[in-house]
Amino acid sequence: MEFRDLKTQYQTYKNEIDSAIQKVLTNTNFIGGNEVKELEQQLSEYVGVKHAITCANGTEALSLVLMAWGIKEGDAVFLPDFTFFSTGEVVSFVGATPVFVDVDRNTFNIDTEKLEQAIVQTMEEGKLTPKVIIPVDLFGLPANYPEIEKIAQKYKLLVLEDGAQGFGGNIGGKRACSFGDAATTSFFPAKPLGGYGDGGAIFTDDDILAELLRSLKVHGKGSNKYDNVRIGVNSRLDTIQAAILQVKLKAFANHEVTDVNRVAGHYNERLKDIVEIPYMPEGYISSFAQYTIKLKNKAERDNLQRKLKEENIPSMVYYVKPMHKQEAFSDLGYAENDCPVTNELCDIVLSLPMHPYLSEEEIEQVCKVIKEFMN
């Protein structure tokens, strides 16, 4: 059994993927080929925004936006404590200070009440200037953007949606990566829409920001790549990855989001009275980058994971350590017990196999082991 079954996906679309790769090999346009522009157009249409700008990976997608916005030393950027390291890393990378906010225990996403408290506290302390909120669409579920955008407007902050895991989710029909002032996603192979290597994209309706991002991602180019008008970086999506992603985006839009929600429904039906299953707010749809359950304590979680492994069932813990406990951020002065919800979640969460090609028999096998263990 696969945790995320890229092998079956490839076999399903082997002819289309092989043909797309062969076309790039034949044309030899490995950097900046037509497939890149075509993919950007398809991505912007799928998400429902004016601009999709591809880049080398999801981390650099975040960095590029912060660079374009001029975020720097002395600025505060607010983000959830329960997330992957890169969300905070990019803030420090541009010289600003990440401010970690505890999350909602139900959704795993940033707690909007605690977010506002953190903004007010930062303003009152007067050491940093609040500038940006980076909500994360964890495990495929979009963050609470209706409330986040109200808070951002109240305190005149920018919102950068980290949709690395959220691509394909939506709130009331509005798709992930269309919220805030800009949004990003990742095409890391295990993400909802993954390539066969690194890749990322930025989404925005802001024409000026889009133009600046296209310059920054290619060495700060002006009219051409040898006319450099600013300091930028080298962050381009390879043509081969774009070609692969064109095939996979079509499958993603046609059936994969529907199928992962079908899988989640089967899990929910079997596990709802056994463990804490994922919470789904009304009007939200998740792309289920992960299907994550909660156990009673760390010992129970670890023992269940051990039992699943004995039965050759893969599982993962996202995340074993909160952001505020990462050694790289030790100079920020957080206490061990800050962000208590995140501290608890790191001890009790467990992600089960989840992908569009998971069979009902495999789901039943996973759930049977969990039920036997819990009983």
Side-chain angles (χ1 to χ4, degrees):
M1 188 183 302
E2 299 287 335
F3 185 74
R4 191 113 190 146
D5 196 349
L6 300 178
K7 296 175 183 176
T8 297
Q9 183 193 50
Y10 172 62
Q11 291 301 323
T12 304
Y13 293 99
K14 185 179 187 303
N15 291 340
E16 294 95 325
I17 291 170
D18 288 356
S19 177
I21 293 171
Q22 187 59 54
K23 183 180 176 182
V24 177
L25 296 177
T26 301
N27 293 339
T28 68
N29 288 323
F30 302 115
I31 303 293
N34 289 334
E35 287 83 355
V36 177
K37 293 177 183 177
E38 292 167 359
L39 175 66
E40 289 178 339
Q41 180 63 34
Q42 292 161 7
L43 289 168
S44 67
E45 290 174 359
Y46 177 80
V47 170
V49 296
K50 289 174 69 175
H51 303 283
I53 300 107
T54 56
C55 60
N57 56 68
T59 303
E60 288 195 349
L62 292 167
S63 293
L64 282 162
V65 177
L66 296 179
M67 288 171 63
W69 283 342
I71 305 304
K72 60 188 185 305
E73 185 177 355
D75 293 338
V77 178
F78 302 86
L79 61 137
D81 193 46
F82 191 56
T83 185
F84 183 61
F85 183 72
S86 64
T87 314
E89 179 183 31
V90 297
V91 178
S92 295
F93 181 76
V94 297
T97 301
V99 178
F100 303 123
V101 180
D102 211 353
V103 297
D104 183 301
R105 191 181 183 280
N106 289 327
T107 65
F108 303 113
N109 289 329
I110 197 165
D111 185 313
T112 53
E113 290 186 10
K114 292 176 182 176
L115 169 62
E116 184 164 16
Q117 291 169 9
I119 294 167
V120 171
Q121 183 178 339
T122 301
M123 293 172 67
E124 290 175 348
E125 288 174 351
K127 297 177 182 178
L128 300 169
T129 303
K131 286 290 183 72
V132 181
I133 303 166
I134 307 183
V136 177
D137 303 338
L138 206 69
F139 302 152
L141 181 69
N144 186 357
Y145 290 103
E147 287 302 315
I148 291 166
E149 290 175 348
K150 287 179 188 175
I151 293 168
Q153 187 173 20
K154 181 177 180 179
Y155 297 100
K156 297 180 172 58
L157 304 181
L158 294 161
V159 176
L160 172 54
E161 176 187 358
D162 182 345
Q165 297 180 22
F167 190 84
N170 74 65
I171 303 174
K174 183 175 169 63
R175 284 200 167 119
C177 295
S178 69
F179 296 101
D181 300 280
T184 67
T185 198
S186 167
F187 301 131
F188 183 80
K191 292 294 190 288
L193 177 61
Y196 290 160
D198 272 325
I202 304 162
F203 302 87
T204 186
D205 285 320
D206 186 330
D207 296 339
I208 295 173
L209 176 62
E211 184 178 358
L212 180 54
L213 289 165
R214 291 190 178 103
S215 169
L216 286 170
K217 77 169 198 170
V218 187
H219 303 288
K221 73 181 181 69
S223 58
N224 61 71
K225 67 179 180 179
Y226 298 115
D227 172 34
N228 306 97
V229 298
R230 56 181 59 86
I231 301 299
V233 297
N234 179 19
S235 186
R236 297 169 294 199
L237 182 72
D238 294 336
T239 307
I240 285 179
Q241 293 301 335
I244 294 164
L245 286 163
Q246 281 186 286
V247 177
K248 295 180 77 170
L249 175 60
K250 187 176 180 180
F252 185 80
N254 284 346
H255 72 91
E256 288 189 346
V257 176
T258 300
D259 287 347
V260 291
N261 278 274
R262 171 188 55 78
V263 170
H266 288 313
Y267 269 136
N268 290 344
E269 184 180 336
R270 291 164 171 80
L271 296 176
K272 61 185 178 182
D273 298 322
I274 309 299
V275 294
E276 281 194 67
I277 61 174
Y279 172 76
M280 193 62 53
E282 186 175 352
Y284 284 63
I285 292 177
S286 175
S287 58
F288 282 102
Q290 280 84 37
Y291 182 92
T292 303
I293 62 173
K294 303 186 194 85
L295 285 305
K296 293 175 184 175
N297 51 54
K298 187 176 187 299
E300 184 175 80
R301 189 271 308 280
D302 292 349
N303 287 333
L304 174 57
Q305 186 173 36
R306 194 175 299 114
K307 179 63 177 176
L308 289 167
K309 186 177 181 181
E310 290 172 0
E311 300 294 332
N312 296 314
I313 296 172
S315 63
M316 297 288 290
V317 175
Y318 303 104
Y319 297 93
V320 296
K321 184 186 288 189
M323 294 288 275
H324 78 272
K325 292 184 182 179
Q326 296 288 349
E327 186 177 349
F329 297 127
S330 59
D331 61 333
L332 297 180
Y334 285 91
E336 181 80 9
N337 294 322
D338 285 343
C339 299
V341 174
T342 299
N343 285 338
E344 180 197 14
L345 291 175
C346 287
D347 285 343
I348 65 172
V349 294
L350 186 65
S351 296
L352 305 178
M354 167 54 81
H355 55 82
Y357 306 93
L358 199 66
S359 69
E360 194 163 349
E361 291 74 22
E362 288 174 316
I363 297 166
E364 181 61 39
Q365 182 185 353
V366 175
C367 294
K368 180 182 178 183
V369 173
I370 295 172
K371 288 176 182 178
E372 289 175 352
F373 173 84
M374 296 302 293
N375 289 331

